[in-house]
Amino acid sequence: MKKLLLLATGGTIASIESNEGLAPGLSAEELLHHFENTPQTIQVDCKILMNRDSTNMQPEHWLQMAQAIAEHYEQYDGFVITHGTDTLGYTSAALSYMLTNLQKPVVITGSQVPISFKKTDAKKNVADALRFASEDIGGVFVVFDGRVIIGTRAVKMRTKSYDAFESINHPYVAYISGNDVAYSWKPAQTQSPFALNASLCPDVFLMKLYPGMKPEVFDFIKKMYKGVIIESFGNGGLPFEDRSLLPKIKNLTEAGISVVITTQCLEEGEDLCLYEVGRKVAHYNVILSGDMNTEAIVTKLMWTLGKTTEIANVKQIMESPLAWDRSADSEKED
């Protein structure tokens, strides 16, 4: 019999109707009521960590989740975290970096409709999450609408539909149908001992470029942040005519601020060497993101800056794919 721990953090799945709209509000007893019909092959314990809308999630709450996993790691065979969908991708990526050398599954799920509603996707998602948390596999995974996504590749694409999440630039890990798990990709498993590696620096700014952006905005960012992620155009283009951003980016790097260049395009990643608008910024000491999605870049940069603020070291860590960063292409190359 597998022994699983379900950690509840709030979100739509635990929401109730109020005069101000849906808000997390189910008690531990009410939440447990919906898990009474779990398979006899598993034992599920439930703990309420917090009861908040995921819009209000902060890096400090990721640390709270990671610490709860570490605290109970030896007592359970797998873990399920119920979570709001809006920032679920950030949480799954953050936990992927903080929980090092997992040999057990940590599965994050949620729902588009509260579990207390008559018509809801919550019960299926939780059942699927518990099923996958019973697998002999290590890592952080998102389970949603019968699909399993590696923790650093989950992006919320839809606000209402049950198939809210997609796996970006990476194959789905598996598909779940009832009690059956059909794998399409399986991560390599580590024999190294599990460790909590949870120091985070939240001083990260995410900027989405648009035509007409004033370069002077970087002067304010320079005073407030240790790392900047720039969602550039296309393959990694940044304007260098008229309102050129290049001098300001150079100033940031010279001031010791880590600058990561990514793309606004969800799929296929950046390639600064392809066009002149990319090559000009590549001459500076910037960091390349490859085909990582924004949720993973933000959390990995916070995690990296929690270790070091030296640009050379940050660049080495950010550009060296960890097991959970690897794309399908890099897997083939290995």
Side-chain angles (χ1 to χ4, degrees), residues 4 11 18 29 47 75-76 105-106 110 113 122 139 167 185 188 191-192 199 201 209 214 269 289 304 325:
L4 308 180
S18 71
E29 293 75 17
K47 179 178 181 180
Q75 290 79 47
Y76 292 92
V106 174
V113 180
S167 181
W185 177 85
Q191 299 302 316
S192 301
S199 57
C201 174
L209 293 192
K214 292 183 177 181
S289 63
T304 301
D325 298 324

Side-chain angles (χ1 to χ4, degrees), residues 204-272:
V204 170
F205 187 83
L206 174 62
M207 171 183 285
K208 183 172 184 176
L209 293 192
Y210 61 87
M213 177 175 284
K214 292 183 177 181
E216 291 77 15
V217 69
F218 286 100
D219 295 332
F220 296 96
I221 294 171
K222 182 177 170 182
K223 301 173 184 177
M224 298 291 294
Y225 294 93
K226 297 178 181 177
V228 179
I229 301 163
I230 301 176
E231 288 190 348
S232 62
F233 303 122
N235 278 284
L238 285 87
F240 63 83
E241 297 175 352
D242 301 323
R243 298 179 180 86
S244 175
L245 302 183
L246 300 190
K248 296 297 184 180
I249 292 173
K250 182 181 179 183
N251 288 343
L252 287 180
T253 59
E254 290 176 345
I257 296 172
S258 297
V259 178
V260 181
I261 306 296
T262 184
T263 173
Q264 296 176 22
C265 300
L266 273 176
E267 296 185 341
E268 300 179 351
E270 49 77 16
D271 182 0
L272 291 189

